Amino acid sequence: ATADALAARITAEGGRALIFIQDYHLALLPRLLKNARPDLKIVHFWHIPWPNREAFRIFPWGEELLDGLLGNDLLGFHIQYHCNNFLDTVDRGIESRVDYEQFRVFRGGRPTYVRPFPISIDFNQIGRDAESDLVTKKRDNFMREFGESVLKTRLFVGADRIDYTKGIPERLKGFELMLMRHPELQSRVTFVQLAAPSRTHIEKYRDLNDQLDDLVDEINWRLCTEEWTPVRFLRAHHDYYDVLAAYRMADILLVTSLHDGMNLVAKEFIASRTDGDGALILSEYTGAAREIPDALQINPYDI
């Protein structure tokens, strides 16, 4: 239906168009459009990681998915590693000719070029916004909400959608293990997690929410004192300025994704810290890890 609607609109508007498709939800659309209108120029950006060939083999509709994507004239990923995985998957998974030198695939006599386009942010704008009076006000509001005891501690901060790819349970378990192995840090550090609810109509996401509630309750019950609560879990949709305020008050920002195409939280944090302070703990399984080698890179599976 999407392909038919697009083709009809293109015809009505003069017949020529450049089509830009976003992400995995529309993986079959490029081939449908190309079959209907071979003259169209089609560009597609894939926002999530592309797995290696061995992982992709378990997907029952692999040939259909690959054929759909090879309807594009240009297919973009965040990093070269994902481009390489895609080319390898195509080379061993579908009838085609892969040109590794030019990073392109020929199927049906026409090429699909495969290129990395690392997504980023407006660093300058975020830096200016982070120094605004509104962000200062938001930061003060957070501090009043947390109370005097939190102000006296070093702050570990996370800011994520509640999604199983973000490694939030692993982050909580790592924070707890640090406190257990280094009891001298108890009452001296606090973990604040901004957590935006996501896809709560899906059972796996509801289960993740329940798991996070149990973990936070367990850690706080085991370690809290009358004056100190180790974990503050703020489940809500925080606006842009709330998130900047959280970045500004963080001593350490935690990005512990189990797999991420890029992860802009890491870049936003750096851009917001015009004061030159703060440390970034960054999962090596993010695209951002390739671009930010000076972060403290970790394996989130290693609690």
Side-chain angles (χ1 to χ4, degrees):
T2 302
D4 292 341
L6 274 171
R9 180 169 180 180
I10 292 163
T11 300
E13 294 184 359
R16 294 180 64 83
L18 172 66
I19 306 297
F20 186 25
I21 300 171
Q22 293 279 356
D23 220 358
Y24 62 89
H25 313 79
L26 298 170
L28 302 183
L29 181 59
R31 176 60 65 195
L32 296 173
L33 286 172
K34 188 64 76 171
N35 287 344
R37 292 286 306 273
D39 60 309
L40 292 177
K41 295 299 181 184
I42 307 174
V43 178
H44 194 150
F45 189 76
W46 189 268
H47 284 264
I48 60 176
W50 189 273
N52 64 46
R53 164 62 183 156
E54 292 306 310
F56 186 84
R57 284 177 61 196
I58 68 173
F59 185 57
W61 306 280
E63 185 169 349
E64 292 88 341
L65 180 67
L66 293 174
D67 182 66
L69 291 173
L70 292 175
N72 288 293
D73 295 285
L74 174 62
L75 177 60
F77 295 92
H78 283 295
I79 58 176
Q80 187 64 51
Y81 177 69
H82 298 153
C83 296
N84 296 346
N85 279 348
F86 178 78
L87 292 175
D88 188 46
T89 300
V90 169
D91 198 14
R92 293 194 282 163
I94 193 171
E95 185 177 345
S96 61
R97 179 168 68 85
V98 178
D99 179 353
Y100 284 100
E101 188 169 317
Q102 298 296 325
F103 291 99
R104 59 186 177 178
V105 179
F106 288 87
R107 181 167 170 82
R110 49 163 302 279
T112 298
Y113 290 85
V114 181
R115 295 289 188 271
F117 300 102
I119 195 171
S120 196
I121 59 172
D122 188 336
F123 274 79
N124 294 326
Q125 185 64 53
I126 288 177
R128 288 191 295 270
D129 291 341
E131 294 179 332
S132 67
D133 292 340
L134 180 55
V135 168
T136 299
K137 180 180 178 182
K138 295 272 191 178
R139 184 178 183 277
D140 292 343
N141 289 341
F142 274 130
M143 291 305 190
R144 279 194 295 271
E145 179 183 348
F146 296 151
E148 188 68 26
S149 61
V150 172
L151 296 177
K152 298 176 181 178
T153 65
R154 288 292 186 100
L155 288 183
F156 288 71
V157 172
D160 309 86
R161 287 184 302 108
I162 299 177
D163 187 291
Y164 56 85
T165 66
K166 299 302 181 183
I168 303 174
E170 289 76 10
R171 185 180 310 173
L172 286 164
K173 292 174 183 176
F175 185 74
E176 179 187 28
L177 182 61
M178 179 186 73
L179 294 175
M180 298 295 289
R181 287 189 173 177
H182 298 276
E184 71 276 8
L185 293 177
Q186 295 179 22
S187 299
R188 295 175 56 192
V189 297
T190 303
F191 176 39
V192 176
Q193 175 68 52
L194 275 61
S198 175
R199 300 168 183 166
T200 52
H201 60 288
I202 299 175
E203 183 178 2
K204 189 166 185 177
Y205 285 81
R206 293 197 299 272
D207 291 344
L208 175 60
N209 273 273
D210 293 341
Q211 179 189 7
L212 293 173
D213 285 339
D214 291 344
L215 270 172
V216 171
D217 288 345
E218 180 181 339
I219 294 168
N220 286 340
W221 176 82
R222 181 180 300 164
L223 297 172
C224 73
T225 66
E226 290 185 8
E227 297 81 22
W228 173 69
T229 301
V231 178
R232 304 295 183 101
F233 194 79
L234 309 181
R235 182 187 283 104
H237 291 286
H238 296 90
D239 69 21
Y240 169 69
Y241 295 98
D242 285 328
V243 175
L244 289 183
Y247 294 156
R248 291 287 286 190
M249 67 186 186
D251 294 293
I252 300 99
L253 188 86
L254 292 163
V255 174
T256 57
S257 304
L258 305 181
H259 215 178
D260 235 338
M262 178 52 65
N263 191 282
L264 296 183
V265 167
K267 295 185 177 184
E268 291 168 356
F269 172 67
I270 294 170
S272 73
R273 295 314 295 261
T274 54
D275 55 0
D277 287 336
L280 172 62
I281 293 178
L282 179 62
S283 166
E284 63 191 42
Y285 302 124
T286 62
R290 266 85 171 169
E291 298 192 299
I292 312 175
D294 290 335
L296 304 174
Q297 296 198 15
I298 52 95
N299 179 343
Y301 292 94
D302 184 353
I303 301 301

